[in-house]
Amino acid sequence: MFTRHVSHPFLLTFLSVFLESFQITGTQEDVRSTVSWGKVARGMRDRRQRIGLELFNGPFVLPEKSYDFFRCLRWREIGIDKRSMLGFVRTAFCESESAEGRPHLTGDGDTGLQERLAAVQASIVEEQVHYQQRIFKLEKENQELRRQIVLRQEGHDLKSRKLRRNPIEMFSEILDDLGNLHAEFGTQAMLPQVLVVADPNAGKSSLLEVLLHTRIFPRDGKAQVPVKFTVCDGPYHLAQFNDSDREFDLENPVDLEELRKQFEIRLKTALTDSSVSPLVSLTIWGPGLSNIVLVDVPVAPVIEHEQTTSSSERIREACQSLLQNSQALILCLIDSSRDSEYSKTVELVKDFDPDGRRSIFVLTKTDLVETSLANPDKIRRVTDGSLLPLKAIGYYAALPGRGPRSEPVEDVEKFEENYFRTSKLFSSGALKPEQLSTKNMSRGLAETFWHFVRNSLRYQIDSLKARKAALEKNWKSNFNKARVLDRDELYETGRMQLLDDAVRLTSVPQSVWENEIEDRLWTAMADYVFDNIYVPAAAGSKDDLKVVGNIRLKDWAGTLLPIKGVEVANQTLYDRFKTLASRNSSAKDKDSIYDNFKQTVVDEAFKLHQWDARAKESLRVMLLSSAEAPYIITPDDWNGAVRFMEQACAERLAAVQKIIGDMLGPSSWEKWMLFRRQTLEHRNRRAVVDKLEKLIMPTEGELTHGTDLSKDEINVVQKTLESQGVKVDPAFIRDTWRYLFLSRFLEQAVSRIGMCGEVSDSEDLNAQPSFKNDYSDVDLFYRIKRMIRISSVALRQQLTAAELGRLEGEVKQILDGLERNPARIKEYFNHPRIGLAEELKKITNVQEKLEDLAKLIEDEGTGSFYGGSRNDDSS
């Protein structure tokens, strides 16, 4: 419909190319109409080459109707200024206004043609800059529309940043995981990231701050450790350290200042603390930012090999590891105002990337070159390789700063834009317009970065699959019966088992607790009862047995028994918990990997666990009350006391006789049959025993002597032995007498209690006073047994009512403390199979993330991941 107003064939050529390259992607309200002027220019050149440059070989007159056609088009509806479009048409056809006001072109003379050609070139550059500005404006408007649409789809909470996860965040997380795998297991990482390197004062920090749209670096210095920036396109300008949950609002001056302080602290910590990772990681979101991973790599630690500290050596190794990655892009900044051929950073880039397959060079401070006019042809010589024999995939020129570092980023961008629009140095064609400015560099860098990402994902996935297959084969060969559990999973399993064991203590029957505490308490107090209560009281008369026994029994009930009872109950609880924690220890499929962990937690829990102090006092009161209780009343009480005394005396007698046997040494038949020999001490013991039995202790009848020997008796025995050539001290004689007397005393007690027998239920103990008069020691043992039973019941009640709950809380407290200390967990779980399971789990996790990212890129295409500074039509 347009061609009926046009009669010139060259104008038809322009219109056909123009209409082919023009696309309307929305309505007028969407403001999404753009023109790909690069396609128009390339199409016009192609058509001119095919048809022949008749435009410059003779006069050419633009028909009036065709010129009116451009005037009548509604350019404003598609977002293009009409005057600019008419100027573009004039310059595209090299026309000039004639005296009559009609477009006219003449080809007389070479001088006039050169002047017109220069005018056309200048006009084309001006128009390109104008429409580039128009594209940037439309991109910002389009970005704002996208932000509002996304926020409206996610909900009305415009303060929330939790939108659909950006693919660059997924990629950055994968990089961190691969870095951890490389540090722990040496797994090779083959994914790209942009490494920014430069000589000192080349503008690296300023360039990064312009790319991040924030002033973040310390004002008094530069970063001496590698810093990773994950740059994400987002609706709000925020920042967050990867090891923290706090978000900083970069539009808030208070948050920005706090971010700078935290950033500086982390830089100093990474520089001095060898226990901290030398890589500081930071994620920044913002509207219009390119989705990319930038790593600020200080080249000084790599170039300068005179390292004196372990921290410097650690940082140098980290920087070298980053540069040695064959998939990493190297963004090298060259200071145009200095002699670049002597740059150490350029030499470093050549060493790591001699073929230039992953290097991009950025010329900075070009305004100083143009101002000084020292060597105006230097830029062209750098880019064409005549000054520096550099190979690279791209060159750019940028002015990320011009003065103080506190200057706003927006002012720097305006200055850069004005400079490249008016610069005579770059209007000569040293670099193409798309190679100028930080914005164009950011766009081209993002395209190259995602191109490398797409090409390297499959290699990384295949590498991890091969490593995973080798690990699985190793696991099946060595640990086929065990589940693949990493350290965290083992800790969680052991934690749940311990908590279950603590709860399982409440299901232990009450009778089991009481019987176990009673048996343990008697075992702990048996020696004390015989040595300090029964034997001293029974060694005298029967009346002394009642009086002395009663006094010593009350003293025991008020002092030692409550304290010992609490200790025994606590030990019983510990042993029961330990038994439950190590259950199934004899099973064939029992996993011993938890033993050290459980034993440590149980031990620490009982170091922390303290029995309620009020339990001792309440138990003491109960025992003193029971000491005043009546004696044996029923036949059952008598029978139980007789059995208890008989068993206790027999056990004590066996223990004493064993001690005496060890004192006397081997007997005659043992010397001959077992080839044992008596020592001097054994012979002296035998001699002392012989004299004590002859002089003091009768072999038959009741034992009438007391528990201690008098001085005279000791002197008699000592003198008699000296006359036989045996020299012993009084303490030796007293010790021998103590066990000899106790053995004879217990033998008589056992024989006497054996004569008591049991009493039937029909017999009345009160009608037989001989029971009370002749067998007062039975009554004493009844009261002892009763006190121990009362103690066990009271302690069981305290245990089930309060101590089990407190113990469970203390176990949880210890487990929570371990959870906050991974180093201790690693100390407890250090089995060889854990390292294999850890690597296998982590590789599987990273592989799944890589496959998800690869699928997302395949479904949506990398063009949608470049960021807000790019739209679809500018490609």
Side-chain angles (χ1 to χ4, degrees):
M1 60 179 292
F2 297 130
T3 55
R4 60 191 182 94
H5 297 289
V6 184
S7 59
H8 199 281
F10 297 104
L11 186 57
L12 287 173
T13 301
F14 168 76
L15 285 177
S16 62
V17 175
F18 175 77
L19 294 175
E20 289 173 3
S21 61
F22 184 78
Q23 298 178 1
I24 299 178
T25 61
T27 62
Q28 179 180 354
E29 290 75 15
D30 292 334
V31 198
R32 297 187 180 181
S33 303
T34 57
V35 178
S36 180
W37 299 107
K39 289 185 179 181
V40 174
R42 290 194 297 270
M44 288 299 297
R45 287 197 298 269
D46 294 341
R47 299 294 177 88
R48 287 176 183 176
Q49 291 176 2
R50 289 198 300 268
I51 299 175
L53 296 178
E54 298 179 7
L55 178 63
F56 299 99
N57 295 333
F60 161 61
V61 178
L62 183 66
E64 181 67 25
K65 292 183 179 180
S66 302
Y67 193 74
D68 292 340
F69 161 74
F70 286 96
R71 283 198 181 101
C72 66
L73 277 178
R74 294 181 295 176
W75 300 102
R76 294 187 182 276
E77 293 184 5
I78 59 176
I80 301 176
D81 184 73
K82 181 174 69 175
R83 293 184 180 180
S84 301
M85 183 62 206
L86 293 176
F88 178 83
V89 173
R90 293 192 190 97
T91 56
F93 290 93
C94 303
E95 63 187 15
S96 63
E97 296 291 341
S98 62
E100 293 78 14
R102 291 178 58 114
H104 183 72
L105 177 64
T106 142
D108 297 336
D110 296 337
T111 303
L113 182 60
Q114 291 178 357
E115 292 178 354
R116 288 193 293 274
L117 184 59
V120 169
Q121 289 179 348
S123 179
I124 289 175
V125 171
E126 182 180 356
E127 293 297 332
Q128 286 180 341
V129 173
H130 172 76
Y131 286 109
Q132 188 71 31
Q133 296 174 355
R134 184 66 178 174
I135 289 174
F136 287 155
K137 182 179 180 180
L138 291 176
E139 286 175 350
K140 291 182 178 179
E141 295 175 356
N142 190 22
Q143 177 64 25
E144 179 63 21
L145 290 174
R146 286 177 53 203
R147 184 183 71 85
Q148 294 180 5
I149 291 173
V150 171
L151 291 176
R152 189 176 294 109
Q153 291 175 350
E154 295 292 334
H156 299 288
D157 185 11
L158 300 183
K159 296 297 183 181
S160 176
R161 186 192 60 81
K162 305 303 182 183
L163 307 177
R164 183 178 67 89
R165 196 177 186 194
N166 199 317
I168 192 64
E169 297 181 66
M170 300 172 58
F171 183 78
S172 177
E173 183 180 340
I174 293 172
L175 284 177
D176 293 338
D177 294 340
L178 285 174
N180 295 333
L181 277 175
H182 177 72
E184 293 183 26
F185 310 107
T187 305
Q188 185 178 5
M190 297 182 292
L191 293 182
Q193 47 192 334
V194 181
L195 310 180
V196 186
V197 297
D199 286 327
N201 299 321
K204 180 177 66 171
S205 299
S206 299
L207 178 67
L208 289 172
E209 289 180 337
V210 173
L211 292 175
L212 303 176
H213 268 258
T214 184
R215 298 293 188 184
I216 186 176
F217 283 94
R219 304 295 95 184
D220 57 348
K222 298 181 181 295
Q224 299 298 323
V225 297
V227 182
K228 189 185 80 169
F229 297 99
T230 303
V231 189
C232 305
D233 181 21
Y236 296 106
H237 207 186
L238 304 171
Q240 180 182 2
F241 291 102
N242 289 11
D243 58 352
S244 174
D245 294 332
R246 179 181 177 182
E247 292 181 350
F248 298 89
D249 186 0
L250 299 180
E251 297 179 359
N252 186 348
V254 178
D255 279 14
L256 181 58
E257 185 63 27
E258 180 64 23
L259 175 65
R260 290 172 182 166
K261 293 180 181 179
Q262 293 291 332
F263 186 55
E264 188 171 1
I265 292 173
R266 290 171 187 268
L267 291 178
K268 292 180 180 179
T269 303
L271 184 63
T272 58
D273 192 353
S274 59
S275 63
V276 179
S277 172
L279 181 66
V280 179
S281 299
L282 181 65
T283 302
I284 294 182
W285 297 267
L289 297 182
S290 299
N291 290 325
I292 198 171
V293 176
L294 300 171
V295 182
D296 180 11
V297 181
V299 297
V302 183
I303 298 175
E304 301 172 0
H305 296 285
E306 295 82 7
Q307 308 295 339
T308 58
T309 63
S310 59
S311 297
S312 301
E313 181 67 21
R314 184 171 54 92
I315 294 172
R316 185 179 69 85
E317 293 177 356
C319 296
Q320 282 186 338
S321 177
L322 291 170
L323 292 170
Q324 289 172 354
N325 183 5
S326 60
Q327 295 297 323
L329 288 168
I330 302 178
L331 185 67
C332 179
L333 275 64
I334 300 178
D335 188 352
S336 304
S337 63
R338 292 185 288 185
D339 295 332
S340 305
E341 56 269 25
Y342 302 111
S343 171
K344 294 183 179 180
T345 303
V346 173
E347 294 297 326
L348 181 68
V349 173
K350 290 171 59 178
D351 292 339
F352 284 99
D353 185 28
D355 297 332
R357 296 180 180 178
R358 54 190 182 98
S359 301
I360 299 176
F361 290 96
V362 180
L363 305 178
T364 61
K365 301 184 180 182
T366 55
D367 55 335
L368 299 180
V369 177
E370 187 171 4
T371 302
S372 62
L373 296 178
N375 191 356
D377 195 40
K378 184 176 181 180
I379 303 297
R380 186 185 299 275
R381 293 172 59 200
V382 171
T383 56
D384 62 15
S386 59
L387 180 61
L388 292 174
L390 300 177
K391 297 179 181 180
I393 58 177
Y395 290 91
Y396 293 93
L399 289 179
R402 57 172 179 168
R405 293 278 298 279
S406 59
E407 184 180 15
V409 176
E410 292 77 9
D411 295 347
V412 174
E413 291 178 343
K414 291 180 181 179
F415 168 75
E416 183 185 43
E417 180 182 337
N418 294 330
Y419 167 75
F420 285 117
R421 186 175 64 250
T422 59
S423 173
K424 296 180 180 180
L425 182 62
F426 290 98
S427 63
S428 61
L431 289 176
K432 298 179 182 179
E434 59 267 20
Q435 295 176 282
L436 306 178
S437 78
T438 307
K439 291 183 178 179
N440 288 333
M441 184 210 70
S442 176
R443 179 187 297 110
L445 190 61
E447 292 179 2
T448 307
F449 170 75
W450 283 104
H451 175 73
F452 271 63
V453 170
R454 181 180 55 191
N455 292 338
S456 61
L457 278 179
R458 181 48 53 188
Y459 293 105
Q460 186 68 68
I461 293 174
D462 293 342
S463 175
L464 293 180
K465 284 184 177 179
R467 179 59 180 167
K468 180 181 176 182
L471 293 175
E472 289 177 344
K473 183 178 179 180
N474 188 6
W475 184 274
K476 291 180 180 178
S477 301
N478 299 292
F479 313 106
N480 189 28
K481 295 183 179 180
R483 288 192 301 161
V484 182
L485 298 177
D486 58 15
R487 186 171 284 106
D488 293 337
E489 291 172 335
L490 287 172
Y491 168 74
E492 286 298 326
T493 303
R495 172 190 173 91
M496 297 307 299
Q497 290 181 1
L498 278 172
L499 293 177
D500 291 342
D501 294 337
V503 174
R504 197 174 288 112
L505 287 172
T506 59
S507 62
V508 177
Q510 297 180 2
S511 59
V512 174
W513 285 117
E514 294 174 359
N515 295 334
E516 189 169 356
I517 294 175
E518 183 178 359
D519 294 341
R520 286 170 174 262
L521 184 57
W522 168 247
T523 302
M525 299 301 302
D527 292 344
Y528 181 88
V529 168
F530 278 100
D531 295 341
N532 295 276
I533 299 177
Y534 176 52
V535 174
S541 62
K542 296 181 180 179
D543 294 335
D544 292 341
L545 176 61
K546 294 181 180 180
V547 177
V548 176
N550 189 37
I551 293 174
R552 290 180 176 267
L553 200 63
K554 290 181 179 180
D555 181 68
W556 177 55
T559 55
L560 185 60
L561 183 57
I563 298 174
K564 201 66 178 179
V566 170
E567 293 178 0
V568 168
N570 194 50
Q571 184 66 31
T572 303
L573 179 60
Y574 168 77
D575 292 339
R576 176 67 65 170
F577 189 26
K578 182 179 178 181
T579 302
L580 288 175
S582 60
R583 63 189 185 278
N584 298 328
S585 58
S586 60
K588 294 182 179 180
D589 57 347
K590 191 252 182 181
D591 196 349
S592 61
I593 200 170
Y594 301 100
D595 292 347
N596 186 27
F597 167 70
K598 290 183 176 181
Q599 182 63 44
T600 303
V601 173
V602 172
D603 291 342
E604 291 189 2
F606 277 90
K607 289 180 182 178
L608 185 64
H609 181 76
Q610 296 294 332
W611 202 277
D612 191 357
R614 294 172 297 179
K616 296 179 182 179
E617 183 61 25
S618 61
L619 181 59
R620 188 181 72 85
V621 173
M622 293 176 61
L623 291 175
L624 289 176
S625 300
S626 66
E628 301 293 342
Y631 299 117
I632 297 176
I633 299 176
T634 65
D636 292 337
D637 295 340
W638 171 268
N639 296 333
V642 168
R643 287 193 295 269
F644 174 67
M645 180 180 176
E646 184 178 10
Q647 181 180 0
C649 291
E651 291 176 354
R652 181 62 176 170
L653 176 61
V656 171
Q657 289 178 346
K658 184 177 184 305
I659 294 174
I660 294 175
D662 294 337
M663 287 181 174
L664 299 178
S667 60
S668 300
W669 73 269
E670 288 178 337
K671 289 190 296 184
W672 289 100
M673 299 300 296
L674 302 178
F675 301 99
R676 293 180 180 178
R677 293 184 179 181
Q678 292 180 350
T679 62
L680 178 60
E681 182 180 356
H682 293 158
R683 292 192 292 271
N684 291 341
R685 291 284 186 187
R686 288 182 175 273
V688 171
V689 169
D690 292 340
K691 294 303 176 184
L692 288 174
E693 289 180 347
K694 291 179 180 179
L695 298 177
I696 301 175
M697 181 178 293
T699 57
E700 297 179 358
E702 286 288 333
L703 182 63
T704 58
H705 200 283
T707 57
D708 296 326
L709 293 176
S710 64
K711 293 183 179 180
D712 295 337
E713 292 173 334
I714 293 176
N715 290 332
V716 171
V717 174
Q718 190 175 14
K719 295 297 183 180
T720 304
L721 292 174
E722 287 180 356
S723 63
Q724 298 178 358
V726 179
K727 294 183 179 181
V728 293
D729 55 3
F732 190 86
I733 298 174
R734 288 193 187 95
D735 186 56
T736 306
W737 167 256
R738 173 173 175 267
Y739 287 102
L740 188 62
F741 171 82
L742 191 57
S743 175
R744 182 66 59 85
F745 176 85
L746 291 174
E747 288 177 355
Q748 293 181 0
V750 170
S751 62
R752 186 172 62 255
I753 198 66
M755 298 170 58
C756 296
E758 295 186 356
V759 179
S760 62
D761 295 339
S762 60
E763 297 184 58
D764 186 6
L765 294 178
N766 295 325
Q768 302 181 23
S770 59
F771 283 138
K772 295 183 179 180
N773 296 328
D774 298 337
Y775 301 101
S776 298
D777 48 359
V778 178
D779 187 80
L780 179 64
F781 271 90
Y782 165 76
R783 297 172 66 189
I784 292 173
K785 184 177 184 299
R786 188 166 179 269
M787 286 184 179
I788 292 177
R789 184 63 183 175
I790 291 174
S791 300
S792 64
V793 173
L795 291 170
R796 190 271 307 163
Q797 292 175 349
Q798 176 68 19
L799 186 147
T800 56
E803 301 303 324
L804 291 180
R806 292 177 54 240
L807 177 62
E808 183 180 356
E810 289 160 354
V811 171
K812 289 181 180 179
Q813 180 181 348
I814 293 173
L815 291 174
D816 292 340
L818 287 176
E819 192 171 357
R820 293 188 295 267
N821 192 351
R824 292 191 62 190
I825 295 178
K826 187 175 182 179
E827 179 183 350
Y828 299 143
F829 294 101
N830 55 2
H831 196 273
R833 89 180 199 210
I834 297 178
L836 186 60
E838 287 267 319
E839 186 177 2
L840 190 57
K841 287 278 187 178
K842 291 181 179 180
I843 285 180
T844 303
N845 185 30
V846 176
Q847 179 187 339
E848 292 175 354
K849 292 180 181 179
L850 283 169
E851 291 175 348
D852 293 341
L853 181 60
K855 186 176 184 302
L856 184 61
I857 293 176
E858 182 180 355
D859 294 341
E860 299 187 16
T862 55
S864 60
F865 300 152
Y866 296 152
S869 62
R870 176 182 176 88
N871 61 21
D872 295 338
D873 296 331
S874 61
S875 62

